[in-house]
Amino acid sequence: MALMHEPTAPYHSAQDALRVLETVADHSAGVTETELSRLTGLGSERLTALPRMLRREGYVEQITDGAYVTGDTLRRLTSAHDHEQALREKLQRTLDRLRDSVGAAVYISRYVDGEVKVTQYAAGPATPAVNEWVDFRESAHATAVGKSLLTQLDHNGRRDHLSRHRMARLTSRTITSDKLLLSRLESQPPTVPVLDLQEYAVGTVCAAVPITAGSSVGCLALSLPVEHAHRLRQAADTLNRSATPVLLSLAL
């Protein structure tokens, strides 16, 4: 299965953040922002935002002279002992914060062994999760999550998936033509969120953005009740801009 997606802005931000973390880890006594700029080659504008995000996420800490050292989150995520548990807990905290900042239920989904899998999500009383009335594995053609994952496959990978899952009509808006769906997936710009406007479930709208880490295919998504559809694009843009911490956690 070949991947087709071009790296998006969050991917490049995560790569920059990894360079910063590697540099901090190499200087156990601490490293200043001036030294970080020289050692990483990143300009002062990039280094204004990155350390702030890395501190908020617990990847680095500042000591008394303002220099940066590794933080508890980085130490846990790079430990072989409890890596999986630490990663799940870190992603859940990130999702909880994203849910509150975008005012919507948010999800991480991966394409695993040829199937769509929602691996974690954050919802609440004011931000209800989508009611999975049809298995997400069987409805990739109708969901923002599924379509985002399919856009990251090559043409043969998409055709293989659709050959194994019948494109059932779930609402009056559901695309059931594989030719039409493949055409839309082919023309989907990698930097533009994929939308589901009541294609999976009446009363719900969704958006998804890619989070490709290495060779794995994934996406970050949100859902809103249809009465909040006017917020969908702005919320999706916020989600896209906030994807870097998720990518960074998956890359470590």
Side-chain angles (χ1 to χ4, degrees), residues 25-81:
D26 286 341
H27 294 76
S28 57
V31 57
T32 65
E33 281 197 26
T34 301
E35 291 169 328
L36 279 174
S37 181
R38 177 174 56 82
L39 293 167
T40 63
L42 297 173
S44 58
E45 186 177 334
R46 292 292 302 124
L47 279 175
T48 298
L50 277 176
R52 189 183 307 130
M53 181 273 287
L54 293 172
R55 281 185 64 193
R56 185 186 70 233
E57 299 292 330
Y59 290 114
V60 299
E61 299 169 0
Q62 266 187 306
I63 52 181
T64 50
D65 62 356
Y68 293 96
V69 295
T70 56
D72 182 62
T73 296
L74 181 62
R75 289 190 289 270
R76 287 199 66 197
L77 286 179
T78 53
S79 164
H81 174 63

Side-chain angles (χ1 to χ4, degrees), residues 153-166:
L153 309 182
D154 63 10
H155 184 75
N156 290 336
R158 295 167 189 162
R159 290 203 69 90
D160 171 71
H161 184 91
L162 296 178
S163 72
R164 293 182 285 108
H165 299 282
R166 185 175 68 88

Side-chain angles (χ1 to χ4, degrees), residues 47-164:
L47 279 175
T48 298
L50 277 176
R52 189 183 307 130
M53 181 273 287
L54 293 172
R55 281 185 64 193
R56 185 186 70 233
E57 299 292 330
Y59 290 114
V60 299
E61 299 169 0
Q62 266 187 306
I63 52 181
T64 50
D65 62 356
Y68 293 96
V69 295
T70 56
D72 182 62
T73 296
L74 181 62
R75 289 190 289 270
R76 287 199 66 197
L77 286 179
T78 53
S79 164
H81 174 63
D82 63 350
H83 173 76
E84 289 304 317
Q85 181 180 346
L87 176 60
R88 189 165 187 84
E89 291 173 355
K90 178 68 185 78
L91 289 173
Q92 193 60 50
R93 289 194 299 272
T94 302
L95 288 177
D96 289 345
R97 188 165 57 247
L98 275 174
R99 173 200 59 206
D100 296 340
S101 65
V102 300
V106 292
Y107 315 77
I108 294 176
S109 183
R110 312 294 292 276
Y111 196 70
V112 182
D113 298 328
E115 301 295 349
V116 172
K117 183 177 182 182
V118 175
T119 54
Q120 281 179 256
Y121 71 96
T127 53
V130 173
N131 174 33
E132 189 179 355
W133 74 285
V134 176
D135 194 318
F136 289 141
R137 292 173 299 179
E138 302 297 329
S139 54
H141 65 292
T143 64
V145 158
K147 289 186 288 183
S148 179
L149 296 175
L150 292 177
T151 62
Q152 297 174 65
L153 309 182
D154 63 10
H155 184 75
N156 290 336
R158 295 167 189 162
R159 290 203 69 90
D160 171 71
H161 184 91
L162 296 178
S163 72
R164 293 182 285 108

